[in-house]
Structures are given as C-alpha cells and as structure tokens.
Amino acid sequence: MPNFDESIASDLEALRASGLWRELRTVDSPQGREISIGGEHFLNFSSNDYLGLANSEGLKEASVKALQDFGSGSGASRLICGSLKPHSDLEQRLAEFKGTEAALSYSSGFLASFGSIQALVGPNDISVIDKLVHASIVDGVRLSGAKMRIFKHNDLNSLSEILWWADRQPKGRVLIITESIFSMDGDRAPLREIVELKEKHGAWLMVDEAHGTGLYGQHRRGVIEELGLSERVEVQMGTLGKAIGAAGGYICGSRNLIDYLINKARSFIFSTAPVPASAAAACAGIDMVRSKDGERRCGRLWLRVRQLQEEMTGISQTTQSLSAINPIIIGSEQMAVDASALLRQNHCFVPAIRYPTVARGTARLRLTLSADHTKNDVQLVAGELRELRRLVGSFKPTIEK
Ligand SMILES: *Cc1c(COP(=O)(O)O)cnc(C)c1O
C-alpha cells in the first residue's frame, strides 16, 4: 500500500507541475465590487453576485431577524426535527416567483442537482446531458447509475440522434439535462428547440438556471420565463447563491415532483437544513429581484455588459447574447494563471479557470460583471485586458464544443 503522505504529496506535485494547483485566498472584506485580500484592495470581477445583493442591507436585515427569531442552527434534517418556518416561507416564495406549483430548497445548488437527478433516474433509465454541464449534474447522473449520454454542446442534431437511439432502448425514463446560461462560457442553450425535441420523444427536461435566475425574463425568473417555457419544463433547478445573493439551491416544479423529492432525494433527506438566516436571506433576495430596485439593478448590469462587449470588440470574442459571464480563452493552463496574476498586480481580480472546470487546453479568464460595477471599473479592466493581449499575443476566439 502506498504511504499516505508520499502518495498525496506526489499528486500535489503533479498538479503544480501542470499549472493546475489551486489555493484559497482569504478575503477580509464582504463580497462586492471591491474586495480586500491581505489588506490590499482589488476590483472584483470574479463573483456570481450579479445584482450586488450579497452584502445589501435588505438581505442582511432579513438574516439578522431570522437569527433572532429562530436561532443560529436548524437542529437536524427537516424530516426529522420539523421544518422551520423560514424554509417553508422560502419555498412558498420560490414557487410564487417561478410560477410553479411547488418548490424545494436544498443547502446548495450542487446538492439540489446531484440529489434530484439521483432520485429521478436509476439504472434502467437514460440521462442525456450537454457536454458542458456543471459537475453537480455529471456527478448526479453517475451516482444514479442511469446510462449517461453526452450531446455536443448546444448541438440539436447530436441531441436528436441520442434521443432516436433512446427510443429504441428498453422502456425507461429519459431525462435531458442542460443549463440555460452556461457557467464558464456565458452562452445560452437553444431551450425552445430542446423542449420541442423532448416533447417529440416523450423525454423529460431538467434545466439548470444557476446563471439565469434573477436576470432574464419580464419578472427576472430566468431564461425559461423569457422564452415562455415554464409549463413545458418538468424540473427547474437553480441556486440561491448567485443573483439571489444568499446561499442554497432549489428545485421548482409540480407538487408531485416536490413530494417525490422530499421522499427520495438523499441529499435533501440526509442533511441538516440550512440555518434559518440563510433561508431568510434567500427569501429577501427573491423579493429584491422581483422589486423595482431589482429591475434597476438588472438594467445597470446589462449596461455594463454591453459596455464591456463594445470595449472588447476585436480583442476577444465575447458571447453575443447578453450575459454577465465573459470568458477570455487563453488555452494554456499556466498562461491563464499568469494572466490572472498579472491582472491582480494591477488590482483587478479576474480568476483563471482551468481543467477540470473546463476542458484541458481551454483555460481562460472568467470575468463576471455585477450591477455595482461602474463605467470606470469596466473601462479600467478592459484597458488591462488590452495590455494583457499585447503581452500574450492573442486570445483564442472559439469555445470548445
Ligand atoms: C454554481 C452552480 C451550481 C451549484 O450551485 P451552488 O449553490 O453554488 O452549489 C450548479 N450549476 C451551475 C451551472 C452552477 O454554475
């Protein structure tokens, strides 16, 4: 048997050698447009707090109130010790917001996907996923034991071929899973066409709106709302930790779906409920998103997104659809890390994203914008990126399919 320390140390060495080493940086300020690391200030272009709610007064007040009214802990899992009111309030609000019969909250988006997939499909079923879906989806399908089939990124022909193949398999469930806005590329899935395909084949569809919720559609419910597909998507998944400004995950759908998950989703059943303050913050976050203020914040975000797209014309191919996520593909893992370090020297915090988050050789900077960024902030980081490109030579224009 290998020696514990030596074995782990040699794996770590391999990570370092291939530019894949990751480490935590302690931020000694709240999350926001500006963060402080080791007493040094950085303009923050790394967060998914798209609407700037994570450190906003409304959410903080709601958390404090729940802390005072319901305590700091939640005691046990909700099926064991009773379900605290902030959690049922949150779920009622979620269902209202999304316009679904019911909702279920989880302690994270990761666990919402992971546990729900494992509940919905098993070894006699098939799950068909986009090549670029989040790790929580891949892991959920793996754990479920369902046959996993991967379609080329956003490629309807590839999806269709797999669905024709699935039609010829022994009877079982077929669950298609994709994201509305892809987390590392910022592009969007052709959801309308995917819905049509899944209906034609009698399959089910789960859509991860982690980066859509709070930002798209008339009521900012997500891309599903924008496209008018709410009635036609069986499982709507999302996180409370991005535009909503808190933490946790959710599934929205029919009453039967939610009852089914309460009975079958192991990541829900066997885990202590999130603290009441977290549920209350999420609830306030949803209220904020739905409010006039939420609408204004969203408007400010899109202004900055358009500005960045204009500033980056001819420098990097940003996605043409409106998205707060701007990938700047560098290619080599080490060069992406170096580029991020260079930007940090100039007080811009733009993280390098590498394998296994993205495919090998497609390492990138992932620049995210928030409603709180100013015109100046965007000008400044665009200037830094132009300078960087001069040093690097070029940014790769294409994304991996
Ligand atoms: C962030 C993310 C998740 C996980 O949500 P958490 O609440 O952070 O656990 C799931 N899917 C996608 C696409 C994400 O970007």
Side-chain angles (χ1 to χ4, degrees):
M1 195 152 333
N3 171 283
F4 181 81
D5 271 333
E6 283 171 14
S7 175
I8 284 177
S10 98
D11 281 5
L12 287 177
E13 198 36 59
L15 284 178
R16 278 187 199 278
S18 49
L20 294 175
W21 175 260
R22 297 171 185 230
E23 65 190 349
L24 293 170
R25 289 194 181 82
T26 303
V27 173
D28 37 41
S29 68
Q31 278 295 335
R33 143 181 188 271
E34 206 178 60
I35 51 175
S36 156
I37 299 175
E40 228 184 308
H41 290 272
F42 298 89
L43 271 179
N44 184 15
F45 297 100
S46 67
S47 158
N48 301 317
D49 177 25
Y50 301 122
L51 298 178
L53 297 183
N55 186 39
S56 67
E57 288 311 314
L59 273 69
K60 285 199 282 192
E61 274 163 26
S63 320
V64 169
K65 177 149 193 345
L67 181 73
Q68 278 162 349
D69 294 351
F70 292 94
S72 57
S74 52
S77 78
R78 290 165 61 194
L79 285 165
I80 295 290
C81 70
S83 174
L84 290 169
K85 189 163 178 299
H87 295 115
S88 1
D89 288 349
L90 168 62
E91 287 161 356
Q92 208 182 328
R93 202 70 114 261
L94 268 166
E96 250 173 60
F97 174 47
K98 291 276 179 172
T100 55
E101 272 176 27
L104 186 65
S105 64
Y106 292 68
S107 39
S108 73
F110 191 104
L111 291 172
S113 280
F114 183 76
S116 309
I117 295 167
Q118 168 256 341
L120 285 166
V121 288
N124 297 323
D125 305 318
I126 296 167
S127 189
V128 190
I129 63 177
D130 185 283
K131 172 98 193 291
L132 297 188
V133 292
H134 193 258
S136 55
I137 296 170
V138 177
D139 290 0
V141 174
R142 278 191 189 136
L143 179 78
S144 75
K147 286 188 200 75
M148 176 165 26
R149 289 291 178 278
I150 300 172
F151 62 98
K152 286 188 203 149
H153 179 53
N154 282 347
D155 185 325
L156 294 164
N157 287 331
S158 171
L159 172 60
S160 173
E161 263 171 40
I162 295 171
L163 291 176
W164 283 114
W165 166 84
D167 284 346
R168 298 192 304 273
Q169 302 307 302
K171 219 170 154 49
R173 298 173 173 179
V174 179
L175 177 66
I176 304 168
I177 314 174
T178 192
E179 294 174 20
S180 58
I181 303 289
F182 282 84
S183 59
M184 297 299 139
D185 292 281
D187 59 338
R188 52 160 80 197
L191 279 186
R192 196 173 282 134
E193 292 79 3
I194 291 177
V195 164
E196 273 158 21
L197 272 179
K198 73 106 188 169
E199 284 171 355
K200 178 165 154 192
H201 290 270
W204 303 347
L205 178 61
M206 171 168 164
V207 176
D208 178 338
E209 287 249 58
H211 301 274
T213 303
L215 304 181
Y216 300 88
Q218 195 190 347
H219 304 94
R220 293 171 293 291
R221 295 171 183 173
V223 178
I224 292 174
E225 183 202 7
E226 186 180 284
L227 300 176
L229 298 172
S230 301
E231 307 288 311
R232 296 164 74 188
V233 175
E234 282 80 6
V235 188
Q236 299 192 40
M237 175 271 163
T239 174
L240 303 164
K242 287 167 184 162
I244 305 289
Y250 66 80
I251 300 284
C252 287
S254 66
R255 184 70 249 168
N256 277 341
L257 169 66
I258 299 310
D259 287 342
Y260 185 86
L261 294 176
I262 291 172
N263 281 276
K264 283 190 167 270
R266 294 165 67 88
S267 67
F268 172 80
I269 298 170
F270 297 104
S271 187
T272 300
V275 298
S278 159
C283 208
I286 294 167
D287 289 345
M288 180 68 105
V289 163
R290 296 169 81 183
S291 71
K292 276 281 165 218
D293 188 18
E295 188 178 358
R296 281 191 293 269
R297 284 172 188 262
C298 207
R300 288 206 298 274
L301 172 67
W302 298 136
L303 273 181
R304 297 287 82 88
V305 168
R306 285 202 193 87
Q307 184 195 345
L308 184 71
Q309 286 180 342
E310 275 162 28
E311 304 241 15
M312 297 294 287
T313 306
I315 296 184
S316 164
Q317 179 177 300
T318 52
T319 52
Q320 277 320 294
S321 52
L322 278 187
S323 155
I325 303 163
N326 301 274
I328 297 139
I329 313 283
I330 306 252
S332 129
E333 339 282 353
Q334 191 56 52
M335 265 168 73
V337 174
D338 293 346
S340 176
L342 209 65
L343 291 171
R344 250 191 339 275
Q345 276 176 18
N346 296 316
H347 298 275
C348 290
F349 194 83
V350 186
I353 306 287
R354 295 160 286 166
Y355 176 84
T357 311
V358 295
R360 283 186 197 280
T362 71
R364 66 199 62 186
L365 297 169
R366 176 180 183 268
L367 190 162
T368 50
L369 291 174
S370 127
D372 283 346
H373 283 125
T374 65
K375 198 170 172 186
N376 252 341
D377 297 342
V378 173
Q379 253 164 14
L380 196 140
V381 76
E384 295 295 342
L385 287 169
R386 276 193 290 272
E387 176 62 14
L388 184 71
R389 195 184 72 145
R390 208 177 52 76
L391 296 172
V392 171
S394 76
F395 298 138
K396 291 193 180 178
T398 52
I399 63 168
E400 168 90 343
K401 290 248 170 172

